[in-house]
């Protein structure tokens, strides 16, 4: 990579403790190259509807394969946010998600795909237009690509974020509030959001069978969200008992290792085929 490109990268640096270290500069350069060279991958984690036991969607999660020590997705995203790479990263993720959904449709699996977007994306005035244009050129996927935003990310810049979310919603983009209950959410703010779905953070879901307090919070959250017109997803469901409890509480959907871990598209296609075969055998 040229010095010039590296200098441009530096201009975006947040002066945090180790931002300027040589290792960190190398990592950022490698990440930028990986993004340019399409070496990043999306893994997909299915989402199950509890009322009919059907797979209703899959969430796209970024991965950087081929590294000796894998870097967790949230760290990749934080690095992208600090270096100005979040804009091209999110654009790549969105295009890849459209490609993923196309392949799902071609294999007969008409499920939705969810994409995580970052606080900085919500601050780009042209972001809604960009998404709108993408879906205009891929009309089959309109209404089936959901954007997930965390409540914390919206609190950073509530005015602009709300404006962005409203224009996304106005053009028919489904929105989901991620990691609900993990930050300092303002319920009065949440009620104004144009989202259709709330995802209860896995910190409230992980110990449900053991934690009486968590059960009270989750049950109340489900009731409140239903009253406000949201569908509710529980994240981080790791065992059958938790799934049973959530079903009894009227939770709409679940995600978690108990159902499936995030996996490459090829594996998801096989997994969905096998599930469909098993269902057909049971019915036939
Ligand atoms: P998230 O959107 O809340 O995604 C759920 C995270 O929980 C994923 O971690 C997933 O692998 C993990 N998970 C799912 N089921 C279970 C479970 O049963 N138990 C446990 N312990 N974990 C479970 P991952 O893939 O490491 O992603 C972490 C976060 O990074 C995501 O949290 C999301 O905020 C962010 N992220 C991932 N991909 C992207 C992306 O393409 N763009 C943006 N902006 N953010 C992304
Ligand atoms: Mg998410
Ligand atoms: Mg989440
Ligand atoms: Mg999270």
């Amino acid at each position: 990579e040229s010095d010039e490109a590296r200098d441009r990268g530096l201009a975006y640096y947040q002066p945090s403790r180790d931002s300027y270290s040589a290792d960190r500069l190398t990592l950022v350069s490698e990440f930028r190259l990986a993004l340019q060279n399409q070496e990043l991958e999306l893994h997909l984690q299915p989402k199950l509807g509890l009322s009919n036991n059907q797979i209703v969607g899959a969430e796209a999660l970024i991965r950087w394969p081929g590294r000796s020590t894998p870097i967790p997705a949230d760290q990749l995203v934080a690095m992208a946010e600090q270096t100005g790479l979040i804009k091209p990263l999110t654009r790549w993720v969105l295009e890849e998600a459209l490609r993923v959904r196309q392949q799902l449709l071609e294999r007969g699996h008409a499920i939705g795909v969810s994409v995580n977007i970052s606080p900085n994306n919500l601050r780009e005035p042209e972001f809604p237009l960009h998404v709108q244009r993408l879906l205009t050129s891929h009309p089959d996927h309109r209404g089936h690509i959901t954007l997930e935003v965390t409540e914390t990310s919206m609190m950073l810049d509530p005015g602009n974020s709300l404006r962005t979310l409203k224009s996304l919603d106005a053009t028919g983009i489904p929105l989901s509030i991620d990691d609900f209950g993990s930050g300092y959410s303002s319920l009065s703010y949440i009620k104004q959001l144009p989202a259709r779905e709330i995802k209860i953070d896995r910190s409230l879901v992980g110990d449900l069978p053991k934690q009486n307090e968590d059960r009270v919070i989750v049950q109340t959250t489900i009731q409140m969200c239903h009253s406000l017109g949201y569908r509710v997803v529980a994240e981080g469901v790791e065992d059958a008992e938790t799934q049973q409890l959530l079903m009894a509480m009227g939770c709409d959907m679940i995600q978690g290792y108990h159902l499936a871990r995030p996996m490459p598209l090829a594996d998801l296609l096989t997994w969905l085929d096998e599930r469909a075969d098993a269902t057909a055998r049971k019915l036939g």
Side-chain angles (χ1 to χ4, degrees):
E1 192 185 9
S2 69
D3 287 338
E4 193 206 333
R6 198 172 303 153
D7 289 342
R8 259 190 279 123
L10 264 176
Y12 292 106
Y13 266 111
Q14 305 283 321
S16 72
R17 214 148 52 90
D18 62 352
S19 300
Y20 296 94
S21 76
D23 283 357
R24 163 103 179 156
L25 283 180
T26 309
L27 185 65
V28 171
S29 307
E30 287 173 359
F31 183 59
R32 182 182 291 112
L33 278 178
L35 178 59
Q36 276 167 10
N37 300 338
Q38 314 258 357
E39 286 162 13
L40 301 179
E41 269 181 25
L42 292 183
H43 280 196
L44 297 142
Q45 186 180 37
K47 184 165 76 175
L48 177 75
L50 291 176
S51 63
N52 56 6
N53 207 36
Q54 299 260 0
I55 301 302
V56 290
E59 176 175 4
L61 296 155
I62 194 84
R63 296 290 181 267
W64 186 3
R67 294 193 67 81
S68 46
T69 25
I71 304 174
D74 51 358
Q75 285 180 34
L76 291 178
V77 170
M79 180 166 66
E81 292 229 327
Q82 286 159 15
T83 56
L85 289 172
I86 194 64
K87 196 170 155 173
L89 177 68
T90 302
R91 276 150 181 65
W92 178 81
V93 171
L94 281 168
E95 280 174 29
E96 192 65 11
L98 289 166
R99 210 181 60 79
V100 162
R101 185 155 196 279
Q102 187 59 39
Q103 303 223 20
L104 285 163
L105 281 189
E106 284 168 15
R107 279 275 275 266
H109 303 295
I111 64 173
V113 175
S114 296
V115 166
N116 293 283
I117 64 167
S118 292
N120 286 344
N121 299 130
L122 294 181
R123 289 165 157 167
E124 296 169 26
E126 72 284 9
F127 185 69
L129 188 62
H130 173 76
V131 177
Q132 190 54 32
R133 284 209 184 106
L134 266 183
L135 289 165
T136 303
S137 36
H138 300 86
D140 288 355
H141 307 309
R142 179 179 291 280
H144 303 286
I145 302 287
T146 295
L147 303 183
E148 297 190 1
V149 295
T150 65
E151 44 167 357
T152 335
S153 79
M154 294 176 297
M155 301 321 286
L156 294 175
D157 187 353
N160 277 322
S161 303
L162 191 58
R163 201 166 312 128
T164 304
L165 293 178
K166 282 188 170 154
S167 56
L168 287 165
D169 177 64
T171 52
I173 316 290
L175 301 171
S176 171
I177 310 301
D178 206 351
D179 300 354
F180 187 72
S182 68
Y184 299 93
S185 42
S186 149
L187 293 176
S188 67
Y189 183 65
I190 291 289
K191 81 169 186 209
Q192 313 173 44
L193 293 174
R196 308 177 191 187
E197 180 183 277
I198 293 266
K199 300 183 77 169
I200 302 180
D201 192 65
R202 70 166 189 261
S203 60
L204 290 170
V205 175
D207 285 328
L208 221 49
K210 282 189 232 121
Q211 293 288 334
N212 182 45
E213 293 84 356
D214 289 354
R215 282 202 298 281
V216 172
I217 294 170
V218 169
Q219 175 72 83
T220 309
T221 302
I222 292 170
Q223 282 163 356
M224 177 189 74
C225 288
H226 281 165
S227 305
L228 292 172
Y230 296 111
R231 277 170 302 157
V232 182
V233 184
E235 336 179 285
V237 177
E238 295 187 353
D239 53 55
E241 194 183 352
T242 304
Q243 180 169 335
Q244 286 304 323
L245 283 169
L246 287 161
M247 202 182 308
M249 291 176 181
C251 188
D252 302 286
M253 291 163 272
I254 57 153
Q255 268 182 304
Y257 294 168
H258 176 61
L259 176 67
R261 288 185 178 248
M263 58 189 123
L265 176 61
D267 295 355
L268 178 69
L269 291 170
T270 310
W271 188 86
L272 288 169
D273 287 348
E274 282 169 359
R275 233 186 119 86
D277 287 350
T279 310
R281 269 199 306 278
K282 245 186 255 162
L283 294 174

